[in-house]
Amino acid sequence: MEEILMGTYDIIVIGAGHAGCEAALACARMGSKTLLFSINLEAIAMMPCNPSIGGTGKGHLVREIDALGGEMGRNIDKTFIQSKMLNTAKGPAVHSLRAQADKHKYHDQDIWAYTGSGIEERKQEQTIYY
């Protein structure tokens, strides 16, 4: 087990799901030395069985992340298989776009976002608090 000393990194992000990836990338883009921990390095930014982004709730969140310079919106634009406008029988206030992605291409695209960003990826095996 490798020991990481305090002060080696400015920021350590534990968990490499969508939120962890966005947080680590934002920190690295601000110039912070960032470490991203994941239980499985092959599962960084891996989408679930139903690999879709959008809809009435998550679509709003994705637009906010995109406005702040995040990668989720860019990655779905590059990897989507199909998209659909939801709630078209209702009024325009509740219309929302949902896109389904190729989950393996999305994963690969998200990993490429980190190239040259200064983020190091490590497998988290054990956490010991002092």
Side-chain angles (χ1 to χ4, degrees):
M1 180 176 80
E2 181 182 350
E3 190 171 307
I4 298 171
L5 300 175
M6 287 182 60
T8 305
Y9 294 94
D10 298 322
I11 296 176
I12 297 175
V13 178
I14 299 175
H18 289 296
C21 289
E22 293 288 352
L25 193 55
C27 295
R29 286 178 175 166
M30 290 190 308
S32 300
K33 187 166 171 142
T34 306
L35 177 64
L36 176 63
F37 276 119
S38 177
I39 293 173
N40 181 357
L41 294 180
E42 302 300 318
I44 292 174
M46 187 59 77
M47 298 182 88
C49 297
N50 179 12
S52 62
I53 291 181
T56 52
K58 194 172 183 181
H60 182 78
L61 180 65
V62 171
R63 285 180 185 85
E64 289 180 359
I65 291 170
D66 194 38
L68 295 170
E71 286 296 316
M72 189 182 288
R74 292 182 193 140
N75 290 346
I76 195 67
D77 286 345
K78 294 175 185 173
T79 62
F80 79 95
I81 298 169
Q82 67 173 346
S83 62
K84 181 179 181 180
M85 185 63 71
L86 304 174
N87 302 324
T88 55
K90 299 177 181 176
V94 293
H95 290 186
S96 60
L97 188 63
R98 181 177 63 206
Q100 185 176 13
D102 179 320
K103 65 192 267 182
H104 300 292
K105 284 183 182 177
Y106 185 93
H107 167 76
D108 294 342
Q109 188 67 40
D110 209 49
I111 297 302
W112 280 109
Y114 298 110
T115 305
S117 64
I119 295 175
E120 293 183 35
E121 300 164 352
R122 302 226 183 130
K123 182 175 180 178
Q124 181 180 351
E125 297 172 356
Q126 184 177 3
T127 304
I128 299 173
Y129 299 99
Y130 295 99

